Amino acid sequence: GENVEQHPSTLSVQEGDSAVIKCTYSDSASNYFPWYKQELGKRPQLIIDIRSNVGEKKDQRIAVTLNKTAKHFSLHITETQPEDSAVYFCASLKYNFNKFYFGSGTKLNVKP
Amino acid sequence: NAGVTQTPKFQVLKTGQSMTLQCAQDMNHEYMSWYRQDPGMGLRLIHYSVGAGITDQGEVPNGYNVSRSTTEDFPLRLLSAAPSQTSVYFCASSYRSGGANTGELFFGEGSRLTVL
């Protein structure tokens, strides 16, 4: 099956700095890559996603890039704010195979 | 819309006891799934379903049973609880189109289970 690796496991940044979280995947047929944010004690919620026919997608302060050749994708958060502090999970999916595979998570701490 | 609703939110069991985690969604999603979340291990798929009467195993299915009699409900059963099943459990659903998942998973609030 698919293997998704996520780095780093923890990340601490100063408010206003940028944060980058990276994921690699093993199955070249995977074609959908979402990112979820999970605040303490809450459910994971989708913040951005990218499909394999696109190289980059932005939504205000967050962006995701995908390199299909290298089989990795990254989450970029600019101008970080304390409310960005949470655990972030990457995931991958092959549309016809019904199984989402998640990375192990990155705990982001934004220091005011 | 309530979205995805899970019950109970907290449960303590003794080894060998059985219980059912309930999950219901009101978005008419074909796809429903159960994950367990353990520290440092992300979310691991237990079982999933692509419609009423259809279920299949995920990455970590041992010790768990599921059924899907309606589009709305997807209960997860622990037949004989073990301490290794102490975890936070999430139910999630997704829209499908043309027989395939198309994207976003919607999660329930989670159920924290402790097995003593």
Side-chain angles (χ1 to χ4, degrees):
Chain A
E2 169 78 292
N3 183 40
V4 178
E5 295 190 354
Q6 183 171 346
H7 301 280
S9 56
T10 60
L11 180 59
S12 190
V13 300
Q14 207 67 40
E15 182 178 358
D17 287 350
S18 295
V20 180
I21 304 170
K22 299 181 180 180
C23 287
T24 61
Y25 60 98
S26 60
D27 190 340
S28 56
S30 292
N31 46 21
Y32 173 67
F33 306 93
W35 285 90
Y36 287 83
K37 176 183 180 182
Q38 186 180 29
E39 297 176 351
L40 189 62
K42 301 289 180 69
R43 73 187 85 189
Q45 291 191 295
L46 181 74
I47 55 170
I48 196 166
D49 56 13
I50 192 167
R51 302 183 192 275
S52 59
N53 58 348
V54 175
E56 184 176 5
K57 183 176 178 181
K58 288 183 179 180
D59 184 3
Q60 299 183 5
R61 295 186 298 109
I62 60 173
V64 56
T65 58
L66 171 65
N67 183 327
K68 287 191 295 182
T69 303
K71 290 188 284 188
H72 69 70
F73 56 111
S74 299
L75 177 70
H76 304 255
I77 305 175
T78 58
E79 300 172 19
T80 54
Q81 301 167 3
E83 51 265 39
D84 294 329
S85 295
V87 178
Y88 292 81
F89 293 98
C90 63
S92 74
L93 170 73
K94 285 192 293 189
Y95 288 138
N96 293 332
F97 285 82
N98 302 311
K99 294 182 181 180
F100 287 80
Y101 292 90
F102 283 83
S104 54
T106 297
K107 184 175 182 181
L108 174 64
N109 180 34
V110 180
K111 296 178 286 186
Chain B
N1 284 353
V4 180
T5 305
Q6 280 181 243
T7 57
K9 287 186 170 52
F10 301 94
Q11 183 72 49
V12 179
L13 289 177
K14 294 181 180 178
T15 296
Q17 286 185 318
S18 63
M19 77 156 299
T20 299
L21 297 175
Q22 301 290 346
C23 176
Q25 53 90 11
D26 61 1
M27 296 175 282
N28 202 31
H29 286 166
E30 287 185 348
Y31 183 85
M32 296 186 74
S33 54
W34 278 101
Y35 292 84
R36 60 177 289 171
Q37 183 175 29
D38 302 293
M41 301 190 74
L43 293 149
R44 292 183 292 167
L45 181 64
I46 305 171
H47 285 286
Y48 67 93
S49 168
V50 297
I54 307 169
T55 64
D56 206 346
Q57 296 181 348
E59 298 174 81
V60 289
N62 292 341
Y64 306 95
N65 221 351
V66 292
S67 60
R68 183 100 177 265
S69 56
T70 67
T71 299
E72 295 77 21
D73 300 298
F74 190 46
L76 179 72
R77 297 183 186 85
L78 284 72
L79 299 176
S80 179
S84 60
Q85 294 178 303
T86 293
S87 188
V88 179
Y89 292 84
F90 286 97
C91 180
S93 70
S94 177
Y95 178 67
R96 282 165 58 85
S97 175
N101 281 303
T102 58
E104 182 176 1
L105 275 174
F106 293 83
F107 286 87
E109 291 185 316
S111 300
R112 183 175 293 275
L113 175 66
T114 301
V115 183
L116 303 174

